Amino acid sequence: MAETIKLKKQPKIIGSYSIVGPKEGKGNFGEYFDYVMKNDFFGEKTFEKAERKMLENAITGVIQNAKLQTKDIDIMIAGDLLNQIISSSYAARVFNFPFLGVYGACSTMAESIGVASILVDGGYSKNVVCCTGSHFSTAERQYRFPLELGNQRPPTSQWTVTGAGSCVISLEGEGPRITMVTFGKVVDWGINDVNNMGGAMAPAARETMLNHFRNTKTGPDDYDLILTGDLGKLGSEILIDLMEDEGITLGSNYGDCGQMYFKRSQQTLCGASGAGCCATVFNSFIIKKLQEKKYKRILFMPTGALLSTTSTQQGDTIPCTCHAIVIEA
Amino acid sequence: MEDKKRNEAYNQYVSAKIPKTHAWPALFNSFWVGGLICVIGQGINDLLLLAFPMLSQQSAWALTLIALIFIASFLTGIGVYDQIGKFAGGGSIVPITGFSNSIASPSIEFKSEGIVYGICVKMFTIAGPVIVFGVASSMVVGLIYWIISLF
Amino acid sequence: MDIFVDYIWVFLIGGLVCMFGEVLIITTNITSARILVTFEMIGLVLEAIGVYDYISDFAKAGVNVPIIGFGASLAKGAIGAVETHGFLGIFTGGLTATAGGIAAAIGFAFLFALIFKSHTKK
């Protein structure tokens, strides 16, 4: 049975930082991001190096934002989308604190915050940095086609966000509190279309949401905002349908980062995706709104598709997961 | 067993829910871009024959295709061909220029992994099947004709 | 005036061939490698059964520029080489006939890969 962990000491998010690419900066959340890069190379030679630098900057930025120094950090928990999570590991190389790599595809932000808050709550670590990011161009060439290939994107495809987000979890300091964590099971309802991540991930979101509501005896009305990660337009509509079948109505307090990320004129079809998608929204817009007390209680539950190109080519379906955390102002 | 049924039902539900492409504009764009590329090819061919009257028809076509391949590789290099492709779809994939683009794009993309393991190894990641299928099938055709010619 | 009519036909036939490719993309979400192979095989079969020349006399660039033409020259090369060289032609024919196109595609791709860098999509 998937249990919900209720955190006794309620660790706080004492700092947050987000960095995005130029296209993301022109999107709906543009004004909330801490830093918008001028171009996708970020002064580096390759896109992979740019992604790494983005994560490095996000980590440095969040330590400053939390008014801490590098020596105050006990451990960093980070992950990304590239094979062997190289961006996170290589970014960790420049810092002098322990690093714990996690992989939850696009759900990595919630996974790392979940693990970090348990470490802090248990009293084992004082200040923990959580960080994740993704880059459109590196994801595109790892999972799909070369950038210059003149192909058309299917109508269900989503646009990987170029961006990284990070936060610091600690018991000391001011900030929104993390009160509950529900880690998700791996769910696979037999979708094998790699261009339809929303459809593949929606059942995972359903599973975690049902578990969370059951364990905590709450419902959608108990939260000011229920936010999924990158289900996109199609996936979030599917989730609403799936929850309706279970007798739970997701109303106007439900939203999806991927669906809201880009403006319609930016032609991203089903919206945004990628680990950076929910990470940048969460560490900018959401945290700011919680600090302003505009939102009091948020259920943040990004989903992740745990596939690889090899499994896809061998005709496997897409296993997905979803981790939920509750943040209170 | 129950899982399988649920998955089938879910797959059906999702495919019904998928947004459909607006077919008519896409078809129209692929039509006129594809037609235009063919007209450009015909133009190059006619100019070649006009400038070098001693060229055989076959050599003229070979040179025409080489010219089109050059143009497409160049447009791929400066990052224009993928935008044409996004707009025209089949209109820019089906002509020989699409073949050229499918070889040039991974070469440029994987340049960051070096000349040998990047450019040279990855060059045929997309167009490989075109050459493999083409050569293998041409051997089959040749073999059939050879057997026929024996009798 | 004749030339003008010719170009109209080239445009119409070439456009229709490409539009058929787009129909495949929309209905089956097929990737570009499969489209290229499909059309190449269409050309190869048309040439092998001997009808391609009639079509190409009329449609000219309308079928020669699409990859159908590439498939047709593979078959044409194989048949021609078998006629002149016999058994050896099975192996040499296809690539000899398409050598120009393949060499150009490889050579120019290599050249431009050395010069240019990939761009992020807009």
Side-chain angles (χ1 to χ4, degrees):
Chain A
M1 237 4 247
E3 286 282 342
T4 296
I5 298 163
K6 295 191 176 93
L7 299 162
K8 291 187 193 72
K9 295 182 193 154
Q10 306 194 337
K12 300 180 194 77
I13 300 175
I14 60 165
S16 65
Y17 191 84
S18 55
I19 173 170
V20 294
K23 181 175 173 129
E24 288 70 18
K26 293 191 191 87
N28 286 324
F29 296 103
E31 55 189 295
Y32 292 96
F33 298 129
D34 292 303
Y35 187 83
V36 178
M37 305 179 329
K38 285 191 184 64
N39 73 58
D40 275 8
F41 274 110
F42 206 12
E44 294 289 330
K45 275 205 180 104
T46 70
F47 291 124
E48 281 76 9
K49 288 196 170 78
E51 179 172 338
R52 186 183 309 166
K53 189 173 168 189
M54 224 161 57
L55 263 74
E56 284 169 19
N57 281 23
I59 297 162
T60 320
V62 79
I63 295 173
Q64 273 172 13
N65 184 271
K67 300 193 181 62
L68 295 174
Q69 260 140 33
T70 321
K71 64 175 167 47
D72 299 325
I73 305 299
D74 292 321
I75 189 167
M76 169 170 91
I77 302 176
D80 56 90
L81 297 181
L82 296 188
N83 293 337
Q84 287 84 32
I85 53 168
I86 47 168
S87 303
S88 310
S89 319
Y90 279 73
R93 178 172 71 170
V94 285
F95 297 98
N96 191 23
F97 38 73
F99 161 68
L100 193 58
V102 291
Y103 183 77
C106 312
S107 67
T108 307
M109 198 67 228
E111 188 180 357
S112 55
I113 292 178
V115 175
S117 45
I118 292 166
L119 278 177
V120 171
D121 194 65
Y124 301 106
S125 307
K126 232 173 107 194
N127 302 308
V128 182
V129 172
C130 300
C131 180
T132 185
S134 57
H135 193 299
F136 173 79
S137 304
T138 60
E140 199 70 7
R141 82 194 207 128
Q142 179 177 309
Y143 289 104
R144 296 178 195 95
F145 297 110
L147 293 166
E148 305 293 351
L149 184 68
N151 60 341
Q152 279 178 321
R153 303 162 68 78
T156 51
S157 61
Q158 289 168 259
W159 190 278
T160 307
V161 164
T162 303
S166 52
C167 55
V168 178
I169 315 281
S170 176
L171 287 176
E172 287 154 28
E174 287 302 306
R177 294 165 294 130
I178 301 155
T179 54
M180 285 184 260
V181 179
T182 308
F183 290 119
K185 297 177 203 169
V186 174
V187 178
D188 186 345
W189 279 21
I191 298 283
N192 59 6
D193 180 4
V194 287
N195 288 309
N196 186 4
M197 288 300 172
M201 294 190 296
R206 166 193 173 275
E207 183 78 24
T208 303
M209 200 184 261
L210 285 176
N211 272 328
H212 182 81
F213 285 162
R214 200 183 305 127
N215 293 337
T216 58
K217 301 197 172 56
T218 54
D221 295 338
D222 296 316
Y223 301 93
D224 295 326
L225 179 68
I226 299 172
L227 193 70
T228 48
D230 54 355
L231 291 175
K233 285 191 186 68
L234 178 65
S236 49
E237 279 173 27
I238 292 175
L239 180 64
I240 290 172
D241 285 2
L242 290 176
M243 294 310 287
E244 193 187 286
D245 292 345
E246 300 292 330
I248 295 171
T249 314
L250 294 177
S252 57
N253 63 340
Y254 166 67
D256 181 78
C257 299
Q259 185 186 14
M260 297 184 286
Y261 210 100
F262 289 111
K263 294 195 165 77
R264 205 167 51 148
S265 58
Q266 289 179 298
Q267 297 183 341
T268 53
L269 301 163
C270 259
S273 71
C277 169
C278 58
T280 50
V281 175
F282 180 81
N283 290 307
S284 58
F285 180 77
I286 299 295
I287 297 282
K288 272 170 200 144
K289 292 290 165 189
L290 281 164
Q291 282 166 347
E292 291 166 9
K293 313 268 181 198
K294 289 266 161 54
Y295 292 129
K296 299 231 162 50
R297 202 179 195 209
I298 290 180
L299 175 61
F300 176 60
M301 39 185 301
T303 46
L306 307 173
L307 79 169
S308 86
T309 42
T310 313
S311 68
T312 310
Q313 280 163 0
Q314 293 181 356
D316 269 329
T317 51
I318 305 168
C320 299
T321 191
C322 174
H323 304 295
I325 53 176
V326 176
I327 308 111
E328 291 180 39
Chain B
M1 219 33 232
E2 223 163 68
D3 275 7
K4 208 176 165 194
K5 238 181 226 165
R6 179 202 65 194
N7 289 357
E8 267 167 27
Y10 183 65
N11 262 296
Q12 270 174 14
Y13 157 79
V14 170
S15 27
K17 190 119 186 151
I18 286 176
K20 299 284 171 280
T21 325
H22 295 293
W24 294 113
L27 288 178
F28 178 70
N29 290 342
S30 68
F31 174 75
W32 78 259
V33 175
L36 187 67
I37 293 174
C38 295
V39 168
I40 292 170
Q42 186 68 45
I44 295 172
N45 190 50
D46 288 353
L47 285 177
L48 275 171
L49 285 173
L50 207 65
F52 310 99
M54 59 292 211
L55 272 180
S56 74
Q57 190 73 30
Q58 213 170 353
S59 316
W61 275 120
L63 283 171
T64 305
L65 294 186
I66 290 169
L68 286 174
I69 287 168
F70 177 82
I71 295 169
S73 308
F74 180 73
L75 290 179
T76 307
I78 59 170
V80 171
Y81 204 87
D82 64 312
Q83 285 167 36
I84 300 174
K86 187 178 159 193
F87 174 77
S92 58
I93 294 174
V94 176
I96 195 84
T97 50
F99 173 67
S100 171
N101 169 249
S102 71
I103 291 185
S105 59
S107 316
I108 294 166
E109 181 77 30
F110 290 95
K111 181 189 187 180
S112 48
E113 276 81 46
I115 288 177
V116 173
Y117 288 100
I119 299 177
C120 302
V121 171
K122 300 283 187 176
M123 188 176 267
F124 293 104
T125 42
I126 294 162
V130 179
I131 296 188
V132 174
F133 268 90
V135 171
S137 316
S138 82
M139 282 167 68
V140 173
V141 172
L143 184 69
I144 294 170
Y145 267 78
W146 181 70
I147 293 170
I148 293 173
S149 70
L150 290 180
F151 300 104
Chain C
M1 202 55 213
D2 272 358
I3 246 190
F4 183 70
V5 175
D6 271 3
Y7 274 75
I8 295 278
W9 277 117
V10 166
F11 180 75
L12 287 179
I13 294 170
L16 280 174
V17 169
C18 295
M19 198 168 90
F20 179 56
E22 182 67 21
V23 169
L24 285 179
I25 296 179
I26 291 175
T27 51
T28 61
N29 268 340
I30 192 173
T31 54
S32 50
R34 285 174 205 259
I35 290 185
L36 287 172
V37 171
T38 309
F39 278 85
E40 184 191 27
M41 289 299 119
I42 293 174
L44 189 121
V45 170
L46 287 178
E47 176 69 42
I49 59 173
V51 295
Y52 183 81
D53 283 348
Y54 299 105
I55 301 172
S56 114
D57 277 349
F58 178 71
K60 297 193 173 83
V63 290
N64 278 344
V65 170
I67 195 141
I68 293 178
F70 187 79
S73 16
L74 280 164
K76 186 185 260 174
I79 295 166
V82 167
E83 277 164 5
T84 48
H85 303 293
F87 185 75
L88 180 66
I90 298 172
F91 299 94
T92 58
L95 275 180
T96 313
T98 51
I102 294 176
I106 294 175
F108 294 138
F110 190 71
L111 173 71
F112 289 125
L114 291 177
I115 299 173
F116 296 110
K117 228 171 149 175
S118 75
H119 306 68
T120 297
K121 287 201 180 190
K122 295 268 157 42

